[in-house]
Amino acid sequence: MEKWQRQVLRGTCLMRFPRLIWSGLFTVLFTTGAIAADNSGVIEVVTFKLKPGVSAVEFAPIDHQVELQHVARQPGFESRESAVGSDNEWLVIVHWRSAEDAEASMASFENAPTAAAFMSKIEASTMSMRRYENRADFPRSVNR
């Protein structure tokens, strides 16, 4: 795999372009086989609720800064997406190269400059995090 292909997979060259463009590009590249995806890795699923009085509109830029300033810069980071549901519940899905990378990122999060603003807006007691193994012997997903 070429250096630029590894950068695309790691997300290090995604910061300048909207996600929609890259999502379409990924679909084309993976579907045509231009990039051979390594299916091993970890999918981290986090849910939480915002504190009363905190709106999704207020929280979204804070969540985005956590992604840009901390999560996307961690070793083993592949991708991250956030979504808001009913009752101010949020879902965050992060793809990591390994469980060790996911754990190291979580351990460093409390010292990240953006962590305090993020944590001040959520109900910590509602936070749930689970990790799932994306094994290399499972069928490949086109969307990833």
Side-chain angles (χ1 to χ4, degrees), residues 6 10 15 17 24 26 58 62 78 83 98 104 114 131 140-141 143:
R6 286 191 305 274
R10 282 197 318 262
M15 306 312 257
F17 300 98
F26 273 66
E58 176 185 353
I62 296 168
E78 293 180 353
S98 70
T114 55
R131 293 188 181 133
R140 183 178 76 172
S141 171
N143 295 323

Side-chain angles (χ1 to χ4, degrees), residues 73-126:
R73 295 179 178 190
Q74 300 307 299
F77 170 79
E78 293 180 353
S79 67
R80 181 181 188 270
E81 59 186 310
S82 300
V84 64
S86 61
D87 197 26
N88 263 351
E89 182 174 39
W90 280 68
L91 168 71
V92 178
I93 299 173
V94 185
H95 291 262
W96 296 101
R97 184 177 47 223
S98 70
E100 293 79 17
D101 291 330
E103 193 59 41
S105 174
M106 193 62 180
S108 68
F109 180 69
E110 67 182 50
N111 296 323
T114 55
F118 185 91
M119 294 304 293
S120 73
K121 302 295 183 187
I122 72 168
E123 287 287 351
S125 64
T126 66

